[in-house]
């Protein structure tokens, strides 16, 4: 949910809620953000920074040397680290700051492991360091200061090659008594002159010491503190990442427009195809070319703007072909510039070289996607709001009556007593345990919302405890910060405080959260944080989190809320149960704590279409558990749009229908029997494929590889895939091309790879048009793969846990295929702490299909068995023999469909955890 209002009056809030689209005047452009405007006035040119090579200090783990700004004589400290796994870390801070500058905690899972740096060459103006194998070098140029990472003769990446390093040092305001700048003996008087394209720092530029936006004033007690650094990527035309934006997968050139903004905001019904900030911010950019994939991780939690320039931007396809024919000497290059309001420069350069390597490198820094319980990967039914317990019961029964499976029903803010979170409305939800038990009896679950704004009410236990423990964020004058949100006047817990987070986690205990049970899970909304009467509908930047201003920590707030909530769900179970927590706001590392969704979208075809690149972008930067509100949160979808959205949602990682309180009801059976049948089939397809989704989430939890991924991730040399965003891969074995255009009866799918096309079961280097009537979802299985399904679909995933598996084998043109099967108890940490799981490798070659144990040390038994095997594209065998692990053999029944060349083996009957072999003769 979202609001976009700048008033305290409830009436005005309601009027705002009925608006048709985002009010962009509520949100800053770069020109309205003083530090962004000031930094962007710096133009590429000779950098004023010089490296003082005589200050070099080298240890086993790092190199340090000083930089000096020759305009103002301020010195910076440069730290360089070579990290394990083909990464380099660059940190730049003031050498002697007036006070410490904020360094982001808790995002890195540990201190990165360093490897030895060594100097291989040095002269009076440069320093060459070895970065290990493949002749990788880091070259430090002294005047002007510049860093180049090279591999042999090839420059992989350059820092400050455009001279846009700019570090606003902390300094005393001229009109204060501390003008003597204690501890900054090397700081000289600033002027307003321009030298070599660089604007010198001065202290009287508008917005440097105080800034006003609309009716809000930012006091900026520490003055200007922004930072900037440019990166050049030779040979690169395609860059991705830096979510969250409702924009294309490939990032656009920002010359002549606003940069991409990273600043977590409550944006009401966001616009499409612009770089304005949304609910989450992950400061990670991925570059890709046929030669190499690399990543830049800018570890800064303050408001950040990212400029992207390309020397091929704006060229037509004909222009690029002409360059090729004429053997143009112009090498493609993309330049990226990061600008943050405060903090320091702390950047991780991930050198790949393959896409999978970059994902592994980033996961080694910030962790992998949490492994959700199986039920969280199933279908979720939500709206703002189900009215009462009887409504919940009626909707639950409706799914049974229409034979539609679901696992979770959700309750929004109206379920609580006066929007006091951790409570239940006594009139509408008087017996929450009775409601939860009714769902549990059907092996279903519930999610209730718990938002991080707390009603200021002396009769509310949660508020009283937070206030008594002094856990609220403070305003600039030291009192508790208060603002307006759904309950009215609200306080905002300081989730940056670990003591506050521990207390919050304790509130999910069953004896604290009265009425809750083990089948209740949690949703954190509005955690940007949303402040209806705050600047840009969020918290004032000069609010205080301990000694730090909110401007320093803003983009971290949502991560901390989700972390504290996930910790609480784990704690309440004694550390046994895996949690499920959905968040709207997020940052780098949020993947460790649960799922995200794309916020307050609308029931429009454009919003359906944009959900694909939005989730693909998140997967590239570690957050695989992503989805969009099926049907659109705002407005009322047509039956066609709703059906197509269910068909898309069934093939995205997080699958939830959600709707605004003012929209007509839209449970799956309310659009007529024909549409009910189509929606039912889409949901049933999701349930049948749950074994594949679950195995992919297990793998992403182990490795960091995205679940939903662009085609270029698996086909990195195929240039045709680099800009495709209307189709995608689930893992490497399923390709989905959803129908996202109104009235469409077909799609033109690009099938990458090598080999023949075999009726939706093989990929090939081809564009093919597929007829897709409203009852069809274009999904293709890769030739060379084996996918496990459960084709007995029941009312919830929990009811299917012990059901048998069907294996779908799609051999490659060479006649081979492989896949995996993963099984555990589907909801606890036993897979991790006690190695209680089954992990099998399935392979098909030379007409032999076998199952091999990938985890011989694990201990787990399953009641599931192999019910059926379907093999595409072969010939009819004369016999089929099953060989068990004990050496016994038996003949299998089979049938062969010659029209589609499909061989079906009936009832092998082997346990899913056993070794076995099937031989076709």
């Amino acid at each position: 949910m979202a609001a976009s209002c700048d008033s305290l009056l409830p009436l005005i809030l309601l009027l705002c809620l009925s608006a048709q689209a985002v009010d962009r005047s509520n949100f800053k452009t770069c020109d309205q953000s003083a530090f962004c405007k000031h930094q962007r006035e710096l133009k590429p040119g000779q950098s004023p920074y010089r490296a003082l090579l005589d200050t070099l200090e080298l240890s086993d783990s790092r190199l340090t040397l000083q930089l000096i700004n020759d305009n103002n004589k301020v010195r910076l400290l440069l730290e360089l680290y070579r990290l394990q796994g083909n990464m380099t870390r660059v940190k730049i801070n003031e050498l002697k700051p007036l006070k410490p500058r904020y360094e982001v905690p808790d995002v890195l899972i540990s201190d990165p492991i360093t490897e030895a740096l060594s100097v291989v060459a040095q002269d009076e103006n440069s320093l060459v360091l070895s970065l290990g194998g493949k002749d990788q070098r880091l070259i430090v140029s002294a005047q002007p200061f510049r860093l180049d990472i090279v591999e042999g003769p090839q420059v992989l990446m350059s820092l400050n090659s455009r001279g846009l390093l700019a570090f606003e040092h902390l300094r005393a305001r001229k009109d204060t008594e501390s003008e003597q700048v204690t501890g900054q003996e090397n700081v000289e008087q600033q002027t307003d002159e321009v030298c070599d394209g660089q604007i010198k720092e001065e202290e009287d530029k508008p917005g440097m010491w105080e800034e006003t936006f609309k009716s809000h004033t930012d006091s900026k007690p520490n003055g200007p503190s922004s930072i900037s650094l440019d990166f050049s990527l030779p040979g690169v035309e395609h860059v991705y990442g830096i979510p969250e934006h409702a924009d294309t997968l490939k990032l656009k050139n920002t010359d002549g427009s606003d940069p991409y903004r990273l600043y977590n905001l409550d944006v009401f019904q966001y616009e499409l195809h612009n770089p304005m900030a949304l609910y989450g911010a992950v400061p990670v950019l991925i570059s890709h070319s046929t030669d190499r994939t690399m990543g830049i991780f800018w570890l800064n939690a303050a408001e950040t703007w990212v400029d992207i320039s390309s020397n091929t931007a704006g060229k037509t396809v004909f222009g690029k072909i002409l360059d090729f024919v004429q053997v143009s000497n112009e090498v493609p290059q993309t330049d990226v510039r990061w600008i943050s309001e405060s903090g320091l420069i702390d950047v991780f350069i991930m050198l790949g070289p393959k896409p999978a390597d970059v994902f592994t490198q980033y996961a080694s820094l910030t962790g992998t996607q949490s492994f959700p319980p199986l039920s969280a990967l199933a279908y979720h039914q939500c709206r703002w709001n189900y009215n009462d317990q009887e409504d919940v019961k009626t909707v639950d029964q409706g799914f049974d009556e229409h034979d539609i499976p679901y696992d979770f029903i959700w309750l929004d803010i109206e379920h609580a007593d006066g929007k006091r979170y951790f409570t239940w409305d006594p009139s509408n939800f008087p017996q929450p345990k009775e409601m939860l038990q009714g769902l549990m009896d059907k092996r279903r679950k519930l999610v209730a919302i718990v938002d991080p704004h707390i009603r200021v009410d002396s009769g509310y236990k949660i508020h009283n405890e937070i206030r008594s423990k002094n856990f609220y964020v403070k305003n600039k004058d030291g009192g508790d910060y208060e603002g307006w949100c759904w309950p009215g006047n609200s306080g905002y817990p300081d989730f940056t405080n670990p003591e506050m987070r521990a207390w919050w986690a304790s509130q999910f205990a069953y004896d604290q959260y009265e009425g809750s049970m083990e089948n209740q899970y949690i949703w954190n909304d509005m955690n940007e944080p949303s402040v209806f009467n705050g600047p840009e509908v969020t918290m004032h930047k000069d609010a205080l989190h301990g000694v730090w201003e909110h401007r320093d920590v803003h983009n971290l707030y949502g991560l901390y809320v989700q972390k504290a909530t996930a910790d609480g769900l784990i704690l309440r179970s004694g550390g046994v149960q895996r949690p499920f927590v959905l968040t709207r706001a997020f940052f780098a590392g949020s993947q460790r704590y649960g799922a995200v969704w794309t916020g307050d979208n609308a029931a429009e075809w454009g919003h359906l279409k944009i959900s694909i690149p939005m989730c693909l972008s998140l997967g590239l930067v570690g957050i695989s558990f992503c989805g969009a509100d099926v049907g659109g949160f705002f407005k009322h979808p047509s039956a066609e749009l709703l059906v197509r959205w269910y068909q898309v949602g069934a093939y995205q990682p997080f699958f939830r229908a959600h709707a605004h309180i003012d929209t007509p009801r839209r449970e799956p059976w309310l659009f007529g029997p024909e549409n009910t049948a189509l929606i039912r089939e889409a949901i049933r397809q999701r349930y049948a494929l749950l074994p594949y989704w679950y195995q992919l989430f297990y793998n992403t939890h182990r490795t960091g590889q995205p679940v939903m991924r662009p085609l270029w991730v698996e086909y990195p040399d195929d240039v045709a895939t680099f800009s495709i965003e209307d189709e995608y891969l689930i893992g490497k074995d399923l390709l989905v091309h959803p129908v996202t255009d109104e009235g469409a009866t077909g799609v033109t799918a690009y099938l990458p790879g090598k080999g023949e096309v075999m009726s939706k079961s093989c990929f090939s280097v081809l564009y093919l048009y597929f007829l897709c009537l409203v009852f069809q979802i274009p999904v293709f299985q890769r030739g060379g793969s084996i996918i496990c399904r459960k084709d007995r679909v029941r009312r919830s995933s929990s009811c299917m846990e012990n059901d048998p598996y069907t294996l779908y084998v799609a051999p490659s043109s060479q006649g081979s295929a492989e896949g995996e099967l993963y099984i555990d108890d589907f909801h606890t940490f036993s897979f991790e702490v006690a190695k209680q799981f089954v992990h099998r490798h399935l392979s098909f070659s030379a007409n032999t299909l076998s199952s091999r144990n990938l985890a011989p040390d694990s201990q787990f038994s399953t009641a599931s068995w192999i019910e059926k095997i379907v093999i595409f594209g072969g010939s009819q065998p004369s016999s089929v023999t099953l060989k068990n692990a004990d050496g016994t053999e038996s003949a299998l029944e089979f049938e062969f469909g010659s029209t589609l060349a499909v061989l079906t083996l009936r009832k092998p009957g082997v346990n899913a955890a056993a070794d076995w072999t099937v031989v076709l003769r």
Side-chain angles (χ1 to χ4, degrees):
M1 294 176 299
S4 58
C5 312
D6 199 32
S7 168
L8 302 182
L9 299 177
L11 175 61
I12 295 179
L13 291 177
L14 290 173
L15 289 174
C16 286
L17 282 172
S18 64
Q20 292 302 303
V22 61
D23 182 355
R24 295 193 66 177
S25 70
N26 280 327
F27 304 102
K28 291 181 180 180
T29 63
C30 180
D31 279 347
Q32 292 171 311
S33 180
F35 80 91
C36 182
K37 180 180 180 181
H38 186 205
Q39 288 277 13
R40 229 181 177 203
E41 288 171 351
L42 302 177
K43 303 302 180 186
Q46 179 101 346
S47 175
Y49 288 94
R50 173 165 50 94
L52 304 176
L53 297 184
D54 59 347
T55 65
L56 182 148
E57 295 183 11
L58 180 63
S59 69
D60 288 342
S61 61
R62 72 169 185 166
L63 176 147
T64 65
L65 56 81
Q66 294 177 26
L67 309 178
I68 188 168
N69 184 329
D70 283 330
N71 286 346
N72 57 28
K73 308 308 177 188
V74 172
R75 294 196 179 198
L76 306 177
L77 180 67
L78 169 71
E79 299 175 69
L80 298 175
Y81 301 82
R82 176 187 166 200
L83 303 183
Q84 187 178 85
N86 204 21
M87 294 182 288
T88 299
R89 185 179 192 179
V90 179
K91 293 182 72 173
I92 303 176
N93 196 359
E94 295 184 58
L95 181 64
K96 296 180 179 179
L98 281 177
K99 59 174 65 176
R101 297 179 71 113
Y102 188 71
E103 295 192 50
V104 176
D106 301 318
V107 168
L108 302 179
I109 54 176
S110 62
D111 290 333
I113 300 173
T114 59
E115 296 185 336
L117 276 169
S118 59
V119 176
V120 296
Q122 183 174 359
D123 59 27
E124 60 184 13
N125 193 52
S126 64
L127 178 68
V128 182
L129 304 169
S130 173
L131 290 179
K134 292 190 177 180
D135 201 23
Q136 284 187 357
R137 301 286 186 264
L138 175 59
I139 302 172
V140 183
S141 299
Q143 189 168 10
F145 165 67
R146 169 176 171 154
L147 296 176
D148 292 281
I149 298 176
V150 302
E151 187 171 276
Q154 181 184 9
V155 178
L156 303 181
M157 185 183 301
S158 300
L159 286 66
N160 201 37
S161 61
R162 302 172 72 214
L164 294 173
L165 169 62
F167 207 107
E168 290 187 318
H169 62 280
L170 297 176
R171 52 200 184 274
R173 192 167 180 169
K174 282 186 175 181
D175 58 3
T176 67
E177 293 182 358
S178 56
E179 187 177 348
Q180 57 269 33
V181 293
T182 305
Q184 290 281 321
E185 65 276 1
N186 58 351
V187 178
E188 295 187 348
Q189 187 73 21
Q190 308 300 306
T191 68
D192 192 12
E193 299 175 359
V194 178
C195 179
D196 294 326
Q198 296 287 334
I199 298 179
K200 289 187 177 182
E201 296 170 334
E202 78 298 326
E203 300 195 3
D204 56 359
K205 219 170 169 55
M208 291 183 71
W209 291 93
E210 186 175 273
E211 183 173 0
T212 299
F213 178 68
K214 301 185 77 169
S215 61
H216 301 283
T217 298
D218 177 6
S219 63
K220 290 192 173 180
N222 294 314
S225 59
S226 67
I227 55 175
S228 168
L229 183 61
D230 63 279
F231 300 76
S232 294
L233 301 163
V236 170
E237 293 185 76
H238 295 80
V239 291
Y240 312 89
I242 58 170
E244 183 177 36
H245 302 96
D247 208 350
T248 54
L249 177 63
K250 178 192 174 185
L251 298 173
K252 296 173 181 174
N253 188 73
T254 61
D255 291 341
S257 65
D258 257 13
Y260 286 96
R261 191 184 188 197
L262 296 174
Y263 190 60
N264 294 358
L265 292 172
D266 178 356
V267 182
F268 173 94
Q269 196 171 325
Y270 48 84
E271 290 182 3
L272 308 183
H273 300 294
N274 68 54
M276 68 185 296
L278 291 179
Y279 314 96
V282 183
V284 176
L285 180 139
I286 308 290
S287 71
H288 179 69
S289 69
T290 55
D291 293 331
R292 196 178 200 98
T293 308
M294 296 184 292
I296 300 171
F297 174 26
W298 179 267
L299 183 52
N300 190 296
E303 179 184 345
T304 297
W305 300 76
V306 186
D307 253 325
I308 296 171
S309 301
S310 172
N311 63 359
T312 59
K315 283 195 175 182
T316 63
V317 173
F318 176 76
K320 292 180 180 180
I321 293 173
L322 192 63
D323 284 348
F324 177 78
V325 171
Q326 296 176 345
V327 194
S328 171
N329 291 323
E330 183 180 49
V331 176
Q333 178 167 305
T334 296
D335 299 309
V336 181
R337 183 186 184 194
W338 301 78
I339 304 169
S340 292
E341 184 176 17
S342 63
L344 48 82
I345 293 172
D346 188 2
V347 61
F348 296 83
I349 299 167
M350 299 170 286
L351 294 172
K354 302 294 186 184
D357 298 324
V358 173
F359 304 140
T360 299
Q361 288 157 0
Y362 181 63
S364 74
L365 298 173
T366 66
T368 61
Q369 176 67 57
S370 61
F371 188 25
L374 175 67
S375 55
L377 299 177
Y379 174 63
H380 302 249
Q381 181 66 37
C382 182
R383 74 173 280 108
W384 175 23
N385 200 86
Y386 286 117
N387 300 322
D388 49 35
Q389 286 183 216
E390 188 60 32
D391 196 7
V392 169
K393 184 177 181 180
T394 300
V395 172
D396 176 69
Q397 290 174 342
F399 277 90
D400 292 334
E401 290 166 2
H402 295 89
D403 193 24
I404 301 173
Y406 90 100
D407 270 62
F408 281 89
I409 192 165
W410 291 52
L411 295 179
D412 212 315
I413 56 176
E414 312 301 333
H415 85 278
D417 182 8
K419 301 177 180 65
R420 299 171 183 87
Y421 306 110
F422 297 99
T423 71
W424 303 87
D425 183 282
S427 298
N428 295 324
F429 295 91
Q431 301 292 334
K433 284 192 174 182
E434 178 183 294
M435 174 182 63
L436 286 162
Q437 186 61 53
L439 293 169
M440 186 179 290
D441 290 344
K442 294 185 177 182
R443 304 187 73 176
R444 288 171 174 154
K445 302 171 177 65
L446 178 140
V447 171
I449 201 167
V450 176
D451 284 352
H453 49 265
I454 302 301
R455 179 168 173 163
V456 176
D457 176 356
S458 60
Y460 179 23
K461 181 190 77 167
I462 296 291
H463 164 69
N464 290 337
E465 290 199 27
I466 295 175
R467 175 162 285 180
S468 69
K469 295 175 183 295
N470 202 30
F471 281 162
Y472 278 126
V473 175
K474 306 303 178 186
N475 60 37
K476 64 179 181 179
D477 299 317
D480 286 348
Y481 179 91
E482 294 181 1
W484 277 72
C485 208
W486 294 123
N489 194 37
S490 303
Y492 291 79
D494 185 1
F495 284 90
T496 69
N497 180 347
E499 293 182 9
M500 164 61 212
R501 296 198 301 272
W503 176 84
W504 180 269
S506 73
Q507 297 308 295
F508 291 95
Y510 300 122
D511 60 351
Q512 295 293 323
Y513 191 169
E514 295 182 9
S516 65
M517 290 175 56
E518 57 267 32
N519 65 330
Q520 179 187 330
Y521 295 80
I522 302 298
W523 169 22
N524 294 144
D525 198 0
M526 317 297 285
N527 54 335
E528 292 75 27
S530 179
V531 184
F532 291 164
N533 60 326
E536 301 194 89
V537 202
T538 194
M539 189 171 285
H540 293 72
K541 288 182 175 179
D542 53 10
L544 295 173
H545 301 258
V547 300
W548 301 108
E549 289 186 276
H550 184 70
R551 82 181 73 250
D552 298 311
V553 307
H554 175 85
N555 286 345
L556 272 176
Y557 192 85
L559 175 146
Y560 278 135
V561 175
Q562 189 185 24
K563 171 178 166 48
T565 302
D567 288 347
L569 296 191
I570 296 170
L571 186 66
R572 77 176 185 183
S573 73
V576 172
Q577 300 291 334
R578 285 179 258 161
F580 170 70
V581 181
L582 180 73
T583 182
R584 190 171 69 177
F586 52 83
F587 189 65
S590 286
Q591 67 269 14
R592 304 196 299 264
Y593 306 115
V596 306
W597 91 106
T598 61
D600 297 341
N601 59 2
E604 297 173 354
W605 289 93
H607 278 268
L608 169 60
K609 192 185 299 283
I610 208 74
S611 72
I612 298 171
M614 290 181 77
C615 281
L616 287 173
S617 295
L618 283 162
L620 290 174
V621 298
I623 301 177
S624 273
F625 205 177
C626 168
D629 286 344
V630 169
F633 180 62
F634 291 108
K635 303 185 178 181
H636 187 53
S638 66
E640 181 192 3
L641 175 57
L642 185 65
V643 168
R644 288 302 192 192
W645 212 316
Y646 268 98
Q647 292 174 344
V648 173
Y651 288 91
Q652 290 181 351
F654 176 54
F655 185 23
R656 180 186 75 155
H658 187 37
H660 189 276
I661 194 170
D662 292 334
T663 62
R665 296 290 283 257
R666 58 167 94 135
E667 282 73 43
W669 51 86
L670 297 179
F671 287 73
E674 291 184 0
N675 293 310
T676 299
L678 295 172
I679 293 170
R680 178 191 300 115
E681 177 57 25
I683 296 174
R684 287 175 65 87
Q685 286 192 33
R686 172 57 165 240
Y687 276 74
L689 275 169
L690 281 176
Y692 183 65
W693 284 104
Y694 197 60
Q695 170 232 311
L696 290 176
F697 268 88
Y698 173 69
N699 284 338
T700 197
H701 176 68
R702 290 191 306 119
T703 68
Q705 306 302 305
V707 170
M708 177 181 173
R709 58 189 73 163
L711 271 62
W712 60 260
V713 168
E714 292 298 327
Y715 303 92
D717 299 326
D718 185 351
V719 178
T721 67
F722 292 4
S723 296
I724 290 178
E725 63 178 28
D726 58 353
E727 63 183 69
Y728 55 90
L729 296 168
I730 303 170
K732 67 178 184 293
D733 294 335
L734 284 185
L735 184 150
V736 185
H737 191 309
V739 180
T740 58
D741 292 312
E742 185 175 12
T745 57
V747 297
T748 299
Y750 181 71
L751 303 180
K754 296 179 181 178
E756 74 282 7
V757 175
M758 195 165 52
S759 186
K760 297 192 179 182
S761 64
C762 249
F763 296 175
S764 173
V765 186
L766 253 239
Y767 285 98
L768 287 182
Y769 181 81
F770 292 94
L771 183 67
C772 295
L773 301 178
V774 73
F775 57 86
Q776 294 173 312
I777 309 173
V779 181
F780 308 85
Q781 182 174 342
R782 182 181 64 84
S785 68
I786 302 173
I787 287 180
C788 302
R789 294 167 48 111
K790 286 191 175 183
D791 288 338
R792 299 186 187 182
V793 175
R794 304 184 190 275
R795 66 173 173 238
S796 74
S797 66
S798 295
C799 296
M800 299 167 60
E801 288 179 357
N802 293 322
D803 280 353
Y805 291 88
T806 296
L807 311 185
Y808 286 81
V809 182
S812 67
S813 57
Q814 290 76 38
S816 62
E818 61 180 6
E820 295 178 36
L821 174 61
Y822 177 82
I823 307 171
D824 59 18
D825 64 19
F826 302 113
H827 60 96
T828 77
F829 287 103
S830 294
F831 78 98
E832 209 162 43
V833 299
K835 290 190 174 182
Q836 293 185 358
F837 62 90
V838 171
H839 194 192
R840 312 290 302 179
H841 179 259
L842 305 170
S843 64
F844 181 75
S845 181
N847 285 328
T848 300
L849 176 66
S850 61
S851 175
R852 177 174 57 86
N853 193 358
L854 286 173
D857 294 336
S858 65
Q859 301 293 324
F860 189 72
S861 60
T862 177
S864 295
W865 50 286
I866 307 301
E867 179 178 41
K868 187 167 59 175
I869 298 170
V870 179
I871 303 173
F872 299 104
S875 57
Q876 182 170 356
S878 59
S879 66
V880 179
T881 303
L882 171 68
K883 296 182 179 181
N884 292 297
D886 61 5
T888 60
E889 296 186 8
S890 58
L892 289 184
E893 297 179 6
F894 65 89
E895 60 186 57
F896 183 75
S898 57
T899 304
L900 297 177
V902 177
L903 175 66
T904 302
L905 313 183
R906 303 285 183 187
K907 298 182 180 179
V910 289
N911 187 275
D915 291 339
W916 52 265
T917 301
V918 168
V919 180
L920 312 181
R921 293 186 174 88

